[in-house]
Amino acid sequence: MQRLTPAEEKVMLKLWRLEVAVVKDILELYEKPRPSYNTVSTIVRILEKKKFIEHKKKGRGYIYMPRVTQSDYSEYLISFLKANYFDNDVEKFKAAIV
């Protein structure tokens, strides 16, 4: 697994919430001012290349669903932070999050 950019994380958080969505559904969860449709669509394609989401054909478009669960990504992210910012020291990590 790899770490997502902040923009990718925003899309994933919305898709995890929706579970199944088209780009328009994801876009509607953004507060105004919203990014453009093309921006969100590009991020969705990037996430698909990174194997975080998958799609199915629906009519002339696609519906998207997560391939990676939010809890799996959360566990990865916690491990990443602990390893890269706290030298894998659990006590330092715990002290930082309290």
Side-chain angles (χ1 to χ4, degrees):
M1 192 174 304
Q2 58 187 299
R3 189 157 177 226
L4 299 176
T5 66
E8 293 165 349
E9 283 183 355
K10 284 181 184 179
V11 169
M12 282 306 300
L13 287 167
K14 288 162 182 30
L15 188 55
W16 282 319
R17 183 173 161 195
L18 293 166
E19 296 180 6
V20 175
V22 296
V23 172
K24 183 181 173 195
D25 297 334
I26 296 168
L27 192 57
E28 288 175 358
L29 291 182
Y30 278 87
E31 293 182 16
K32 292 182 181 178
R34 293 181 175 131
S36 73
Y37 181 95
N38 288 341
T39 299
V40 174
S41 181
T42 298
I43 294 169
V44 164
R45 286 193 304 276
I46 291 167
L47 288 165
E48 194 165 20
K49 285 180 187 174
K50 290 182 173 185
K51 301 195 185 302
F52 272 79
I53 65 174
E54 60 188 346
H55 76 270
K56 291 186 181 179
K57 186 112 171 100
K58 181 181 179 185
R60 295 183 346 196
Y62 298 99
I63 56 172
Y64 299 95
M65 52 244 101
R67 289 182 69 184
V68 174
T69 66
Q70 188 171 3
S71 62
D72 285 347
Y73 185 68
S74 296
E75 287 177 25
Y76 161 77
L77 198 52
I78 289 168
S79 294
F80 175 86
L81 291 171
K82 190 174 66 172
N84 292 287
Y85 291 88
F86 300 98
D87 300 321
N88 275 323
D89 186 321
V90 175
E91 295 307 314
K92 284 183 188 176
F93 182 73
K94 285 181 183 178
I97 60 173
V98 175

